[in-house]
Amino acid sequence: MAPVLPLVLPLQLRIRLAQGIWLLSWLLALAGGLTILCSGHLLGQLWPLGTFLAPSCPFPALARVALPAGAVALGTGLVGAGASRASLDAARYPPWRGVLGPLLVAGTAGGGGLLLLALGLALGLPGSLSTGLEEGLGTALAHYKDTEVPGHCHTKRLIDELQLRHHCCGRHGYKDWFGVQWVSSRYLDPNDQDVTDRIQSNVEGLYLTDGVPFSCCNPHSPRPCLQSQLLDPHAHLIFDPRQPNLNLWAQGCHGVLLGYLQGLASTLGSILAVTFLLQVLVLLGLRYLQTALEGLGGVIDGEGDTQGYLLPGGLKDMLKTAWLHGGVAHKPAPEEAAPEKAPPEEVLPEA
């Protein structure tokens, strides 16, 4: 059987191959470490921001897959660096001969598969992020007032922190607060006629106002923040409702979070692409080095040229061998079975 992609490796080329794999393995370990850091950072950011994502949004799966992929790449790089360095010394290489086989299998099937899956998620999942934020932010704004409802008692604090930290207001703008009741019912006086009129005028029985929470206020404003009666041009002196950005954050939280999270996903995707490329190069180099040294009995400076390859035979030959070893070919069909030999006839002696 002819080997797949054979490569003749003289002594100097074998040494350079081992040195190159050593360098690439350390680069792979570095890339794997960066993948772990970036995916861990993304997970840390999604921990508080998960409130503003729809439960059905698959975006968090990117960080969960990239984290183990980075760990496998880090391990592959460290083991590959040790194996390639040991291959330069005939006395140190024998213990590594039993490690390279499992490393190549685990690195190809596990590490390569996880990296490829994470890279695909980094390319595909950011497109679903907009819909997840649209639904999640709408639900969060609706529960802003539910400070005493189990499961939503922290929503107000999280939204206030979001708007103050990311300099945003509402889902797409400050007017989104006009369509939800953001004031808790325990602060409303049921004997106040204005409160009663506002609740009765709404189909859902909500207390709606043309105001916003304090976290929408821009501290860099040259004048005190105006939070209430924003649609009334006569309620405040020297206030132009057409320029609310003088007092309130102009951007909605949907656009701010979308750009922020997509930026993190783009950075992680770039690192995953580099890590995957290094993983492929290291595994290919280790395979050629392993097969070349096996032909020399594990001695890199053996005399003469040797041949490295990816597979000992073609795919067709490998499948044929596996089929034969499976015993199928050794069980002929009944109609093809050779007929049994008849017993020899007795020869009678002549009279």
Side-chain angles (χ1 to χ4, degrees):
M1 294 184 294
V4 177
L5 296 178
L7 180 63
V8 178
L9 296 173
L11 174 61
Q12 292 299 323
L13 191 55
R14 293 196 298 269
I15 295 177
R16 291 178 182 177
L17 176 62
Q19 294 173 343
I21 296 173
W22 179 83
L23 177 60
L24 289 176
S25 296
W26 280 113
L27 291 177
L28 175 61
L30 177 61
L34 289 177
T35 301
I36 294 175
L37 290 178
C38 288
S39 55
H41 176 67
L42 181 57
L43 274 178
Q45 294 300 308
L46 289 174
W47 183 264
L49 296 179
T51 306
F52 312 115
L53 282 175
S56 59
C57 182
F59 183 76
L62 168 59
R64 299 191 185 105
V65 174
L67 190 62
V72 174
L74 175 62
T76 303
L78 294 177
V79 177
S84 58
R85 184 172 181 83
S87 67
L88 296 173
D89 187 352
R92 296 173 55 188
Y93 180 69
W96 290 91
R97 296 177 69 175
V99 177
L100 282 178
L103 172 66
L104 292 172
V105 174
T108 304
L114 283 174
L115 284 171
L116 194 60
L117 176 60
L119 187 57
L121 293 177
L123 296 175
L125 286 185
S128 65
L129 186 58
S130 178
T131 305
L133 285 172
E134 185 77 21
E135 180 182 345
L137 283 170
T139 303
L141 263 64
H143 290 291
Y144 183 87
K145 68 181 187 304
D146 300 331
T147 54
E148 297 180 349
V149 178
H152 302 290
C153 54
H154 299 293
T155 303
K156 178 183 184 302
R157 175 181 59 83
L158 293 174
I159 291 181
D160 288 335
E161 291 177 353
L162 171 68
Q163 295 187 144
L164 289 172
R165 178 182 177 184
H166 292 276
H167 298 174
C168 59
C169 181
R171 181 164 49 177
H172 297 288
Y174 74 99
K175 290 185 178 181
D176 291 333
W177 288 107
F178 300 170
V180 297
Q181 178 181 338
W182 56 272
V183 179
S184 177
S185 300
R186 63 176 179 169
Y187 297 115
L188 300 178
D189 184 5
N191 298 321
D192 190 336
Q193 188 61 37
D194 179 65
V195 173
T196 304
D197 293 341
R198 287 181 180 272
I199 294 177
Q200 292 179 351
S201 63
N202 185 264
V203 177
E204 299 179 358
L206 301 177
Y207 178 77
L208 304 181
T209 64
D210 54 346
V212 297
F214 77 95
S215 54
C216 283
C217 293
N218 184 354
H220 304 293
S221 173
R223 59 190 179 192
C225 181
L226 304 178
Q227 298 175 242
S228 60
Q229 298 179 302
L230 297 177
L231 295 180
D232 188 356
H234 306 291
H236 307 284
L237 297 177
I238 320 177
F239 172 69
D240 186 358
R242 294 170 298 178
Q243 297 180 348
N245 57 320
L246 294 178
N247 286 273
L248 308 175
W249 301 120
Q251 292 180 301
C253 294
H254 179 275
V256 173
L257 285 182
L258 183 63
Y260 178 67
L261 293 178
Q262 284 184 342
L264 292 179
S266 177
T267 302
L268 180 57
S270 301
I271 296 177
L272 285 170
V274 175
T275 306
F276 179 74
L277 177 61
L278 290 172
Q279 179 96 347
V280 172
L281 292 177
V282 168
L283 292 177
L284 287 176
L286 285 175
R287 177 57 177 168
Y288 274 107
L289 184 63
Q290 178 197 31
T291 53
L293 292 182
E294 289 300 324
L296 296 172
V299 182
I300 195 172
D301 55 352
E303 297 181 0
D305 298 343
T306 186
Q307 181 176 261
Y309 51 83
L310 292 183
L311 298 173
L315 182 59
K316 181 179 179 180
D317 295 332
M318 291 182 62
L319 292 176
K320 182 179 179 181
T321 303
W323 179 265
L324 292 175
H325 288 171
V328 178
H330 298 288
K331 298 179 181 179
E335 60 274 9
E336 297 178 359
E340 296 183 0
K341 294 183 179 181
E345 297 181 356
E346 296 182 0
V347 180
L348 298 176
E350 295 181 359

